[in-house]
Amino acid sequence: MPGIAEKIGTKLLLWAVGSMGAGLFGLFLVTAHQFWRSFFFMNGVWGMVDGAIGLLALRGRGPEGNIRRILLFNAWLDIGYLIAGAVLFLQRTDVNRGFGLAILIQGGFLLFFDLWHALTGIKQI
């Protein structure tokens, strides 16, 4: 029976596959505009990182210890991602704005994901 880390890892892996799929779709099929190319590229990169973390959790190589504490720590990191995304999104160049929007979406999802699992009780997973 999968443990808590594996269940969370599965959910994160599903998000990662969607992010990588959207990134590939956008980069190769949708547009050549710099804003959207950077947006889709950044989503793909986040998908790869989230996928690697999800796979590690599924293989039982995730962090040991208090999962709730780790999720709350990650939520603080997610707030940092949102700040960085906002700073980039407010820049003048299309590339920075595209990266910023993608980081805002990914960081927003991760903040919700981490807080949901930490505050609603990981026993409900």
Side-chain angles (χ1 to χ4, degrees):
M1 182 170 196
I4 294 166
E6 290 85 3
K7 290 178 182 179
I8 293 173
T10 300
K11 292 177 184 181
L12 186 60
L13 193 56
L14 289 171
W15 174 260
V17 168
S19 295
M20 287 185 290
L24 287 172
F25 175 78
L27 280 173
F28 294 108
L29 299 176
V30 173
T31 184
H33 191 274
Q34 275 306 114
F35 174 85
W36 291 111
R37 287 193 62 77
S38 61
F39 171 79
F40 287 117
F41 174 80
M42 184 58 71
N43 275 295
V45 169
W46 278 77
M48 288 188 294
V49 172
D50 289 342
I53 294 168
L55 285 173
L56 287 173
L58 283 176
R59 296 184 70 197
R61 295 191 179 161
E64 297 294 326
N66 186 336
I67 299 293
R68 183 169 190 250
R69 189 176 195 181
I70 293 166
L71 290 167
L72 290 173
F73 176 77
N74 284 343
W76 282 107
L77 292 176
D78 301 335
I79 291 169
Y81 303 148
L82 290 171
I83 292 168
V87 167
L88 284 171
F89 186 70
L90 294 173
Q91 300 297 308
R92 293 180 187 254
T93 67
D94 285 339
V95 171
N96 286 343
R97 294 186 73 239
F99 286 158
L101 181 59
I103 293 170
L104 285 169
I105 291 169
Q106 296 289 332
F109 166 78
L110 290 172
L111 179 61
F112 172 79
F113 183 86
D114 292 336
L115 285 177
W116 175 263
H117 289 102
L119 300 177
T120 61
I122 53 178
K123 294 178 183 177
Q124 297 178 2
I125 296 175

